[in-house]
Amino acid sequence: MPKTPNLQSDDYYEILGCERNADEAQLKKAYRKLAVKWHPDKNPDNDEATTKFQKISEAYATLSDKQKRQIYDQYGAEAANQMGEGGMPGGGFGFPGGGGGGGGVHHMSPDEAQAFFSTMFGESDPFGGMFGGSMGGGMGGPGMSFRSSMGRGGPANFSSSFGSAGGGMDPISMMLGGMGGMGPGMSMGSMGPGMSMGGMGPGMSMSGMGPGMRSSVGSSAPPAKRFDAIPNGTVVSLKGLVNASDRNGDRGVVKQYIPSTGRYVVELEDSDSTMSVKPSNLLQHVHVRIHNVESKPEFNGKTGTIITWCPSKERYNVYIIALKKVVSLKPNNVVLETGTVAQVTGLASKPELNGKWGTIKEWIRESGRYEVQLSPQQIIRVKMENMRV
């Protein structure tokens, strides 16, 4: 059973929720999880989050350095923080904006904590990747998962941590997977009379198969596709929980939508536990493309991950992966991926649609509008600022 992080403590191991004999991978995994949860750009205008982010970064910066950790274990934080990089005397954490030297314990400044965070993840995405504590390497590495569009056909979900996308393969794909890797469109016409695929009862058959051939495919149809439910495998954070407020900011992945309750089953990061959560208590960390930022044209065309929505500013905070920085952007500067499920909001012409969820089928550049499918029968076109994740 993992220890619970104690951010009220001054002990670095207790802050990270790690045993004193924790290995490098365990420390790294704990730091990633806590730093993403309490990152100031994910918690705007929250001084408590900034302070916790500094404590988490300070703890990991010390324990991730072998020589500093050894000094810390023997003599405590003051002695460890008098050591420079690689155990050399000098004090401080080696980042711009912080103090250094002098007596007492030097605590990380906000600038130092931010600089330290930005060096930890290489080219990977700390906010949208799932989970495993991986630092460095590209998106989609071991323990990571992310959603990527496949044109009009909707999203493809890649997940090495939580199984296949969308709750499993469709029955035909499963059948073909059990036939030695036959792909879609491959013919079974070479099967001879009397060959069996097993498992089918009397009278069951597949059209076009020869005499005596049997198939294991059942007759039940797959469930109808929903256009108003966040896809399984989507990375989310919890927000606005009252009865479990300590969980706010925790990340997880959508496992299932329950139509009868209108809630999602979310599997929490680094845990076997799940929670039943209302849509209003989820923030999706979906990928976006930045568009038409006139003041910073170098941002345009870059991809990023939504890390939070700032109601007071009516802007997203978006982590730009290539630049390793967070920027604040209006909704009309953020193009949501095809296949993203978002909520209609602020629609004056048809207010009855506000609050409904739908799947983004296409972004139409010329008009700056999304084509959104609300149901099998209803498709609407709305401005970018009228869709919110």
Side-chain angles (χ1 to χ4, degrees):
M1 176 70 68
K3 292 180 62 176
T4 300
N6 180 5
L7 297 180
Q8 305 305 316
S9 175
D10 291 325
D11 182 276
Y12 289 164
Y13 291 99
E14 290 187 8
I15 290 170
L16 297 178
C18 292
E19 301 288 352
R20 300 190 78 83
N21 61 353
D23 61 24
E24 182 180 349
Q26 291 169 323
L27 293 170
K28 189 179 292 187
K29 188 175 184 178
Y31 168 72
R32 176 195 167 114
K33 181 179 178 180
L34 290 169
V36 167
K37 176 174 180 174
W38 294 107
H39 195 282
D41 290 317
K42 192 178 177 183
N43 302 273
D45 304 319
N46 185 336
D47 292 339
E48 180 186 5
T50 299
T51 299
K52 289 180 176 179
F53 179 72
Q54 290 169 241
K55 289 187 73 171
I56 293 159
S57 300
E58 179 181 317
Y60 181 66
T62 298
L63 298 183
S64 61
D65 183 302
K66 290 183 180 180
Q67 290 179 291
K68 282 188 177 183
R69 182 179 181 180
Q70 186 176 11
I71 296 296
Y72 175 82
D73 288 346
Q74 291 180 316
Y75 304 108
E78 182 175 348
N81 291 337
Q82 294 304 311
M83 306 300 292
E85 291 298 308
M88 298 296 291
F93 292 93
F95 293 102
V105 177
H106 164 62
H107 294 293
M108 253 193 186
S109 70
D111 287 343
E112 285 179 314
Q114 288 273 22
F116 181 73
F117 180 85
S118 68
T119 65
M120 286 293 98
F121 297 97
E123 299 302 317
S124 67
D125 175 5
F127 295 99
M130 288 290 287
F131 289 118
S134 174
M135 298 188 190
M139 292 170 59
M144 307 282 286
S145 80
F146 57 93
R147 295 178 51 241
S148 174
S149 65
M150 293 182 65
R152 291 193 172 195
N157 293 274
F158 300 88
S159 175
S160 61
S161 301
F162 296 98
S164 61
M169 297 174 65
D170 65 272
I172 299 299
S173 297
M174 292 178 69
M175 180 195 76
L176 294 177
M179 291 176 58
M182 290 181 65
M186 293 181 69
S187 171
M188 292 185 289
S190 60
M191 295 179 70
M195 292 180 68
S196 169
M197 294 171 64
M200 292 185 69
M204 298 180 68
S205 66
M206 290 184 65
S207 59
M209 295 181 72
M213 293 178 66
R214 295 182 294 155
S215 168
S216 60
V217 179
S219 58
S220 61
K225 174 176 173 59
R226 298 193 67 99
F227 296 96
D228 59 349
I230 298 171
N232 293 353
T234 301
V235 180
V236 295
S237 283
L238 305 179
K239 65 183 181 74
L241 296 173
V242 176
N243 294 331
S245 58
D246 59 310
R247 287 294 191 182
N248 288 326
D250 283 358
R251 293 198 310 164
V253 65
V254 171
K255 296 294 290 181
Q256 187 180 5
Y257 176 66
I258 310 296
S260 61
T261 62
R263 289 172 172 257
Y264 291 91
V265 176
V266 176
E267 184 171 9
L268 301 178
E269 179 179 10
D270 296 334
S271 171
D272 293 330
S273 63
T274 61
M275 292 185 68
S276 175
V277 185
K278 296 177 183 177
S280 59
N281 296 122
L282 294 179
L283 171 72
Q284 301 178 65
H285 296 300
V286 295
H287 290 160
V288 299
R289 186 171 71 255
I290 298 171
H291 165 72
N292 198 31
V293 181
E294 295 181 356
S295 61
K296 294 283 186 179
E298 65 272 21
F299 291 169
N300 295 328
K302 297 283 194 300
T303 57
T305 300
I306 290 176
I307 63 172
T308 197
W309 168 254
C310 304
S312 61
K313 300 178 181 178
E314 294 195 340
R315 289 170 175 253
Y316 291 112
N317 278 359
V318 177
Y319 180 78
I320 302 179
I321 299 166
L323 303 179
K324 293 195 289 186
K325 68 183 298 183
V326 176
V327 297
S328 178
L329 297 171
K330 298 177 181 178
N332 57 10
N333 295 125
V334 173
V335 181
L336 299 171
E337 272 192 328
T338 298
T340 298
V341 173
Q343 188 176 37
V344 181
T345 182
L347 198 60
S349 60
K350 291 189 176 182
E352 68 274 12
L353 296 180
N354 291 327
K356 292 186 178 294
W357 294 78
T359 300
I360 293 174
K361 304 294 290 181
E362 183 180 10
W363 176 62
I364 304 167
R365 178 183 291 273
E366 292 74 19
S367 63
R369 292 174 180 259
Y370 293 117
E371 188 175 276
V372 181
Q373 187 149 9
L374 302 178
S375 69
Q377 298 80 26
Q378 189 175 20
I379 296 177
I380 61 174
R381 286 188 178 182
V382 295
K383 295 178 181 178
M384 297 167 71
E385 57 263 34
N386 294 124
M387 296 301 294
R388 186 85 44 79
V389 296

